[in-house]
Every structure is written in structure tokens, then in C-alpha cells.
């Protein structure tokens, strides 16, 4: 089922958090982001995975000339000594500090640290040694960090402190060295000073695309996915386009769409996030970086080496990003790259990027309706931004709480004298009211189950919507139980029943409308806005207006009855005429109301169907 990745947040060593959210498309939903598997994706600085290499895999080359400095309070130490270590320099957001054996910088961290200011720094456990590294606690800019290093009893003769510093996503330094400190009465340290380690990066040559992608071969030579269906990226700026062209043992991939940040697609065995082969085209100033990645569970995507990609090219024009690359259909021995000869669900997403760091996708990803083999028979296919189960959930809730319950309430409130004749043993108005309310409860119950089936549990990232939905479901059940125990008309408990029934029903309607307002903005059913909000406000105003009109009419009719007091015959005749006129007016208002109600319903159902 669909990933809800409105809940998935992206972080890096700078501590910056992606503006999501995903509340709560979850991927459920899907978000393709660069994952920095070393000192990245941790706004709170808990980067123990990076203890050994100290390398942030941001996809950029680290700076070569350190701008920051490590100073120590003394140049010699004995086991048990505490030495103050100070990191200083231009403002930075993230860091990772360790002490290493100066004669073996690739070895494990040595000793432990003691914090001076726990608001800006924290201890990490590296190589099973508690407090053997220090990192940031937040994304605020810092210019100085001070800590104490505790020399262990088994300390080597010479110690060098190393620090990785990130100023921002694209600007960072790896393993900036400190002066060497030594134990007394040992041979001088003679190994040459180590320089900053460059991050191993092999960048494939990139060229500029000279023209837009062509769709004439879609379904003939190319396997194409387009949204809207059958759009043309050469003619329509809003066209999202992805194609695969088999060329002997390799596959040419083309991707195009409106984006000022990034475009991405992923191949998945199912419609849940996890174990997916992903590719991201990220805008960086006036260039585009093309990056493979993979997804592990419902965690942040992990950036992979770009070695498998060839013939990379890109183009930026009129707010549209286009990128292409070639990769072999099969890549035996290369981790996380899928065999393109198999069938997969295909995800398409886009979103904002800042300084090479990508944020949550701007809308729920487009997902193909079924699995496809992109190297098989060329096809033209489409997809949906919302899973079928969530579409049904939204549609049933709209039908229940915009149509059946609204009409049922009006009938019970204003149409008792209009349809008072018996129908199957009860007044006609009551039978219609009961049928509509039972329909509302049945539709609500079915719709209530669908998100749990889709999510396979509770959605913790959907804000207040699921909580309000549960309250509505409880009230709907209580209303049924209360109605089943309705006392007779002249029973003393009848008045209490009427007030309780009205109060619970009114509360359920108000909460249901609030839940629908919130649900329309969730990634799983992201209706186009702000039109959806205006339409929902229009529906509420329409219903309230109908009730006000009928209330005013009922009041005027009752006042007219009171002043008919000339004589008994005139009273009787006038009352009959007034009653007939009142019934006709109510029926006309109900007919107009139902037509308007159905119009609003069709608008919402049409919007859901086109997701």
C-alpha cells in the first residue's frame, strides 16, 4: 500500500530539519530524499554511525583548507590528566570531535570527554567506549566549543584530535587535525602532519541537454509514465514525465517536470516504503546533480555512489527540470540497484531543495496502479497521487456526512407534519430519517476501517484527523444504541431522550466536518487547494442557510396560526390553507437543498477521482 511519507523528516549534520511533513505521504507514503549515512540525518547530533570515518556523505567534495582550529590547553599529558580542547572558527552548525592515536589515525577513538556546556555539545559512545566522541545538540550556529579530554591509563604516547565541521550542507571539512600532544619522556612525534582526508568521490561526466524530451516514441520504443496522462513535456510545462528506453544491455532514463528543487523516482516491490531503488535529480544553483539512493525500511533514503550511472545530462528551462542517465539493466555485485528486467511499482515525487539538501515532496508521490517491467513491452501508463483505499475512505465520509446525515436531520427537524402518514407501521418521516441515519452509520463504519487496513495500524503522523474520526465513530455507534432504546412518545423519559439524541447528533456532525477539513489536507488525500477549503465552507454555509430558512418559515407559520382568531370556520379554513402552503414551501426548499448538496458532493467526488 501507499507510503505515507508525510511523516518522514530529513536531517543532516547541520541539524536542519526538512520542512515537511511527513504530518504523522509518511511516504504513507513516499519521500525521496538524500540520506547522509555518515554524520548526517541527525539534527540532535547522535551520529554514532559516523564514529569511524567521520565523513558526511553529502555528495560534495569536502573543503581542502580548514577554516576552523583545534587548540589544547597543554602539549603534554599523563594518564588521568584532563586537557581542555577548544574548537573555534567561523559559524558552523554541526561537528564531530574525537581523539586518536597520532601514529594510527585510522584506529579507534582514545580516552573520553567531559562536557563544559551540555546545551551545545553532547557525548557519544563510539567503539563501545562511552563518551569517546563529542557532537552538536542542535542546528544553531556556533563559533566555539569547549570540552575536556580525559587521558586513559592505556593512552598511547602521542594523541591527535580530529574534528569534522559542517558549516552548511555543501560546505564542510573532514578530520581537521589538532597539534599533537605527547606523554613526557617519550620519543618525539616525527610522522608528518596528516592533511584533511578528501571524501572519495567519482563524479561521472555531465552534459547539458540541448532540447526537451520527445514523447513520440512512447508506447513504441519507450516505456513512459506521464501526469497528466498523455501530456507532452515539449509543450506543457506542468507535464511530469518519466521514460525508459532499452538499448541492448543498458537502459536510458529520462525524467522531466516542473520543479525548483528536485525530481525523483523509485522502483519498489510494493506500495510501501522500504528496500526501494531510487534516483534523485537535485538542483544546485544553476546545475543539476543526479544521484542514486536506496530506501531502508521507513527511514531516510541512503545516498549511494554514482558509479553505475553513465551519460548523465540535465537541463533547466522555464521552471522545468530535466535530467537523464544510462545504467545497465542488470548490475550484479552492485548493492541496492534493482534488476530492470523485473516488474516494479514506480514512484514519482518532487519537492524543494536548499543548497543541495532536499526537503519533503511538495505533494503525495505519483504511484503507478500496478507493477510494470520498464524494459519489457513499451507502454504509456499513468498513476495516482492517492491510493484507492484512501479515495474510498474520503468518498464514503463525504457521502455520509455531507448528504445522508444532513438530509436526515432536516427531515426529522422540519418534516414531521409534512410526512406524518404511516409507512410500514411508522410515520413516513421517521422511516426516511431512520433509513438515512442507518446508511450514515454503515458508511462511516466502512470508511473508518479503510485507513487501518491501508496503514496496517494507527497513523501517528496524521495530526488530529484520526482522533476526531474515532470520536465521530463512537458517537455514531452511541446514536444507534440510543435510538434503539427510544422511549414511547408520552413516556417521561422522552424529553431527556430527545435532548440527548439531538446533542450527540449535533456534536457528531460538527466534529465530522472538522475531521473532513483536516483530512482534505493530508498527503494521502491531498485535494487541490484552496478550492477544497472554499467548497467545504460553501457546503457548511449551504446547510446552515437551509436550516435558517426553514426555521424562519416555521416561526412565521406559527405566528400566522396565532392571529387567525376571527371565527372558528375562518380559523379552520385559514389553518388548512397555511398548512398546505407551508408544506409546499418546505418541499421546495428540501428539493433545492438536495440538489445543491449533491452538487457539492459531486465536486468533491470528482476531485477525489482525479487524484
Amino acid at each position: 500500500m501507499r507510503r505515507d511519507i508525510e511523516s518522514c523528516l530529513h536531517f543532516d549534520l547541520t541539524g536542519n530539519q526538512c520542512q515537511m511533513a511527513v504530518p504523522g505521504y509518511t511516504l504513507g507514503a513516499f519521500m525521496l530524499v538524500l540520506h547522509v549515512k555518515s554524520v548526517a540525518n541527525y539534527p540532535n547530533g547522535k551520529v554514532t554511525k559516523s564514529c569511524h570515518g567521520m565523513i558526511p556523505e553529502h555528495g560534495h567534495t569536502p573543503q581542502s583548507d580548514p577554516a576552523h582550529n583545534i587548540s589544547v590547553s597543554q602539549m603534554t599529558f599523563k594518564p588521568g590528566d584532563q586537557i581542555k580542547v577548544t574548537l573555534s572558527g567561523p559559524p558552523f552548525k554541526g561537528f564531530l570531535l574525537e581523539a586518536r592515536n597520532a601514529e594510527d589515525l585510522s584506529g579507534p577513538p582514545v580516552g573520553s570527554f567531559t562536557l563544559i556546556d551540555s546545551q551545545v555539545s553532547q557525548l557519544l559512545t563510539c567503539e563501545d567506549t562511552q563518551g569517546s566522541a563529542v557532537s552538536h545538540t542542535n542546528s544553531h550556529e556556533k563559533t566555539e566549543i569547549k570540552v575536556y579530554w580525559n587521558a586513559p591509563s592505556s593512552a598511547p604516547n602521542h594523541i591527535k584530535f580530529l574534528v569534522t565541521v559542517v558549516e552548511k550542507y555543501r560546505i564542510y571539512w573532514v578530520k581537521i587535525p589538532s597539534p599533537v600532544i605527547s606523554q613526557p619522556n617519550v620519543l618525539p612525534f616525527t610522522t608528518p602532519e596528516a592533511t584533511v582526508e578528501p571524501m572519495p568521490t567519482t563524479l561521472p561526466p555531465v552534459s547539458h541537454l540541448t532540447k526537451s524530451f520527445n514523447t513520440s516514441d512512447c508506447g513504441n520504443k519507450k516505456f513512459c509514465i506521464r501526469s497528466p496522462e498523455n501530456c507532452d513535456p515539449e509543450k506543457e510545462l506542468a507535464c511530469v514525465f518519466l521514460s525508459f528506453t532499452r538499448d541492448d544491455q543498458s537502459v536510458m532514463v529520462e525524467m522531466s517536470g516542473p520543479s525548483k528543487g528536485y525530481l525523483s523516482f523509485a522502483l519498489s516491490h510494493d506500495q510501501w516504503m522500504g528496500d526501494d531503488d531510487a534516483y534523485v535529480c537535485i538542483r544546485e544553483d544553476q546545475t543539476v546533480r543526479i544521484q542514486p539512493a536506496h530506501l531502508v525500511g521507513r527511514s531516510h533514503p541512503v545516498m549511494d555512489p554514482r558509479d553505475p550511472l553513465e551519460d548523465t545530462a540535465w537541463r533547466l528551462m522555464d521552471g522545468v527540470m530535466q535530467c537523464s542517465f544510462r545504467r545497465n539493466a542488470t548490475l550484479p555485485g552492485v548493492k541496492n540497484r534493482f534488476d530492470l528486467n523485473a516488474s516494479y511499482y514506480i514512484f514519482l515525487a518532487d519537492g524543494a531543495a536548499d543548497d543541495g539538501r532536499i526537503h519533503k515532496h511538495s505533494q503525495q508521490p505519483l504511484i503507478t496502479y500496478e507493477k510494470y517491467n520498464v524494459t519489457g513491452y513499451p507502454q504509456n501508463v499513468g498513476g495516482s497521487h492517492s491510493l484507492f483505499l484512501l479515495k474510498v475512505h474520503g468518498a464514503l465520509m463525504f457521502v455520509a456526512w455531507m448528504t445522508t446525515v444532513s438530509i436526515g436531520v432536516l427531515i426529522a427537524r422540519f418534516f414531521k407534519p409534512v410526512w406524518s402518514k404511516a409507512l410500514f407501521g411508522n410515520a413516513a418521516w421517521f422511516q426516511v430519517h431512520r433509513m438515512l441515519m442507518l446508511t450514515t452509520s454503515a458508511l462511516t463504519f466502512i470508511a473508518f476501517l479503510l485507513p487501518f487496513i491501508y496503514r496496517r495500524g494507527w497513523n501517528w503522523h496524521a495530526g488530529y484527523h484520526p482522533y476526531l474520526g474515532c470520536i465521530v465513530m463512537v458517537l455514531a455507534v452511541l446514536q444507534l444504541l440510543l435510538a434503539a432504546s427510544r422511549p414511547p412518545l408520552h413516556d417521561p423519559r422522552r424529553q431527556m431522550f430527545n435532548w440527548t439524541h439531538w446533542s450527540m447528533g449535533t456534536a457528531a456532525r460538527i466534529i465530522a466536518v472538522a475531521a473532513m477539513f483536516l483530512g482534505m489536507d493530508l498527503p494521502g488525500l491531498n485535494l487541490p487547494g484552496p478550492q477544497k477549503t472554499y467548497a467545504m465552507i460553501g457546503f457548511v454555509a449551504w446547510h446552515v442557510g437551509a436550516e435558517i430558512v426553514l426555521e424562519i418559515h416555521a416561526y412565521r407559520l406559527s405566528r400566522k396560526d396565532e392571529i387567525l382568531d376571527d371565527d372558528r370556520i375562518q380559523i379552520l379554513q385559514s389553518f388548512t390553507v397555511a398548512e398546505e402552503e407551508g408544506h409546499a414551501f418546505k418541499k421546495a426548499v428540501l428539493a433545492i437543498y438536495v440538489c445543491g448538496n449533491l452538487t457539492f458532493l459531486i465536486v468533491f467526488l470528482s476531485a477525489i477521482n482525479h487524484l
Side-chain angles (χ1 to χ4, degrees):
M1 295 181 180
R2 179 182 295 273
R3 305 167 171 88
D4 183 7
I5 321 198
E6 58 279 352
S7 60
C8 180
L9 297 175
H10 170 67
F11 299 103
D12 57 42
L13 180 61
T14 64
N16 288 327
Q17 172 180 336
C18 287
Q19 302 300 312
M20 230 175 138
V22 246
Y25 244 66
T26 232
L27 292 303
F30 169 69
M31 179 181 69
L32 288 174
V33 294
L34 279 180
H35 171 76
V36 181
K37 70 180 180 181
S38 292
V39 284
N41 295 337
Y42 298 94
N44 52 16
K46 298 186 181 298
V47 291
T48 52
K49 288 184 178 180
S50 308
C51 287
H52 179 70
M54 302 181 70
I55 300 174
E57 298 182 0
H58 289 197
H60 300 277
T61 302
Q63 305 299 305
S64 58
D65 297 321
H68 302 79
N69 176 65
I70 303 177
S71 60
V72 293
S73 59
Q74 58 192 68
M75 301 302 295
T76 60
F77 72 93
K78 299 187 302 293
D81 283 356
Q82 265 198 342
I83 297 183
K84 181 184 286 188
V85 182
T86 302
L87 167 63
S88 59
F92 57 94
K93 293 184 177 181
F95 71 95
L96 178 63
L97 173 66
E98 297 180 16
R100 299 281 181 94
N101 183 346
E103 298 176 322
D104 182 17
L105 292 179
S106 63
V110 177
S112 63
F113 290 90
T114 299
L115 300 179
I116 294 178
D117 185 355
S118 60
Q119 296 297 315
V120 296
S121 59
Q122 65 179 326
L123 300 178
L124 299 180
T125 299
C126 294
E127 302 289 339
D128 299 324
T129 302
Q130 187 172 2
S132 58
V134 185
S135 70
H136 58 281
T137 60
N138 55 58
S139 62
H140 301 156
E141 288 191 342
K142 315 156 186 65
T143 57
E144 187 177 72
I145 298 292
K146 293 183 178 181
V147 294
Y148 288 113
W149 177 70
N150 308 306
S153 58
S154 58
N157 293 335
H158 307 283
I159 291 293
K160 179 178 290 187
F161 297 97
L162 301 176
V163 66
T164 290
V165 178
V166 172
E167 182 177 300
K168 55 184 180 179
Y169 191 82
R170 297 174 61 185
I171 301 177
Y172 54 90
W173 295 262
V174 175
K175 293 186 178 180
I176 299 173
S178 74
V180 174
I181 62 173
S182 305
Q183 296 198 48
N185 304 320
V186 298
L187 293 175
F189 181 73
T190 57
T191 304
E193 290 281 326
T195 58
V196 178
E197 294 185 16
M199 184 171 66
T201 308
T202 302
L203 301 179
V206 179
S207 64
H208 292 270
L209 295 169
T210 57
K211 60 180 180 179
S212 182
F213 298 134
N214 191 291
T215 61
S216 60
D217 288 332
C218 289
N220 183 20
K221 297 180 180 179
K222 294 181 178 180
F223 182 98
C224 297
I225 303 167
R226 292 185 271 180
S227 179
E229 290 190 16
N230 298 320
C231 65
D232 189 343
E234 283 189 299
K235 303 175 182 178
E236 302 171 52
L237 297 180
C239 180
V240 178
F241 171 79
L242 176 66
S243 73
F244 301 84
T245 306
R246 182 69 182 257
D247 181 13
D248 195 20
Q249 299 302 312
S250 66
V251 178
M252 190 67 187
V253 180
E254 299 173 332
M255 182 162 54
S256 173
S259 178
K260 295 182 178 179
Y262 73 91
L263 290 174
S264 57
F265 77 92
L267 307 174
S268 178
H269 295 290
D270 53 32
Q271 292 182 304
W272 282 102
M273 179 178 180
D275 301 323
D276 301 334
D277 183 2
Y279 301 85
V280 193
C281 297
I282 310 166
R283 179 168 182 169
E284 296 178 344
D285 296 328
Q286 297 304 312
T287 64
V288 175
R289 176 160 55 94
I290 303 171
Q291 184 72 50
H294 71 277
L295 302 170
V296 180
R298 298 194 62 191
S299 61
H300 310 291
V302 180
M303 183 177 66
D304 295 324
R306 282 175 265 181
D307 299 343
L309 306 187
E310 302 174 351
D311 299 337
T312 54
W314 58 269
R315 180 174 182 258
L316 294 172
M317 184 68 66
D318 298 326
V320 174
M321 180 189 299
Q322 296 187 327
C323 59
S324 64
F325 62 88
R326 183 185 302 277
R327 57 150 285 190
N328 288 337
T330 59
L331 292 168
V334 179
K335 292 181 61 177
N336 308 316
R337 302 283 74 84
F338 288 179
D339 183 350
L340 298 185
N341 294 314
S343 297
Y344 307 99
Y345 288 101
I346 303 168
F347 289 70
L348 271 166
D350 67 277
D354 178 23
D355 195 33
R357 182 181 58 255
I358 65 177
H359 301 273
K360 178 188 178 291
H361 46 77
S362 54
Q363 62 176 333
Q364 189 75 0
L366 182 82
I367 303 181
T368 56
Y369 297 110
E370 57 185 277
K371 289 183 177 181
Y372 293 101
N373 182 347
V374 297
T375 61
Y377 183 76
Q379 298 184 61
N380 255 313
V381 303
S384 173
H385 288 283
S386 182
L387 189 69
F388 176 74
L389 285 178
L390 294 184
K391 287 184 178 182
V392 175
H393 167 78
L396 292 181
M397 285 300 191
F398 280 129
V399 172
W401 294 96
M402 288 183 64
T403 305
T404 57
V405 76
S406 301
I407 297 173
V409 166
L410 292 183
I411 289 175
R413 176 72 181 88
F414 300 104
F415 285 79
K416 291 179 182 178
V418 179
W419 293 329
S420 58
K421 293 183 179 180
L423 178 65
F424 299 114
N426 285 289
W429 73 266
F430 177 75
Q431 296 286 34
V432 175
H433 171 75
R434 180 166 60 181
M435 177 192 67
L436 290 172
M437 292 309 178
L438 286 173
T439 302
T440 298
S441 298
L443 294 177
T444 301
F445 179 73
I446 296 171
F448 178 78
L449 294 178
L450 295 181
F452 290 96
I453 296 173
Y454 155 68
R455 178 64 62 180
R456 301 178 186 175
W458 183 263
N459 184 356
W460 297 102
H461 307 287
Y464 293 107
H465 177 75
Y467 297 98
L468 295 181
C470 287
I471 295 174
V472 170
M473 187 70 252
V474 170
L475 291 175
V477 172
L478 291 177
Q479 281 287 74
L480 286 179
L481 297 176
L482 186 64
S485 59
R486 184 179 69 147
L489 181 62
H490 300 292
D491 191 289
R493 299 170 298 168
R494 183 60 178 260
Q495 188 173 7
M496 178 62 71
F497 165 84
N498 289 340
W499 277 106
T500 305
H501 191 58
W502 176 85
S503 300
M504 290 176 56
T506 302
R509 291 164 59 204
I510 293 173
I511 296 172
V513 170
M516 287 191 288
F517 266 109
L518 295 176
M520 291 188 300
D521 286 327
L522 291 177
L525 191 67
N526 191 18
L527 295 177
Q531 295 90 339
K532 62 178 183 295
T533 303
Y534 298 149
M536 197 67 189
I537 293 174
F539 159 72
V540 174
W542 179 255
H543 179 79
V544 172
E547 289 208 34
I548 291 174
V549 168
L550 290 172
E551 285 285 1
I552 293 174
H553 173 72
Y555 174 76
R556 289 171 59 88
L557 190 61
S558 65
R559 293 291 297 165
K560 183 181 292 187
D561 293 343
E562 291 176 4
I563 63 176
L564 295 177
D565 54 0
D566 288 345
D567 56 68
R568 183 180 301 273
I569 296 176
Q570 185 178 351
I571 292 173
L572 181 61
Q573 291 175 341
S574 299
F575 178 78
T576 302
V577 172
E579 185 180 51
E580 290 178 353
E581 291 177 350
H583 291 179
F585 180 82
K586 288 181 179 179
K587 291 176 182 178
V589 170
L590 181 64
I592 295 173
Y593 172 77
V594 171
C595 290
N597 192 289
L598 292 177
T599 300
F600 281 109
L601 182 63
I602 291 171
V603 169
F604 281 106
L605 295 184
S606 177
I608 291 174
N609 184 57
H610 284 86
L611 287 177

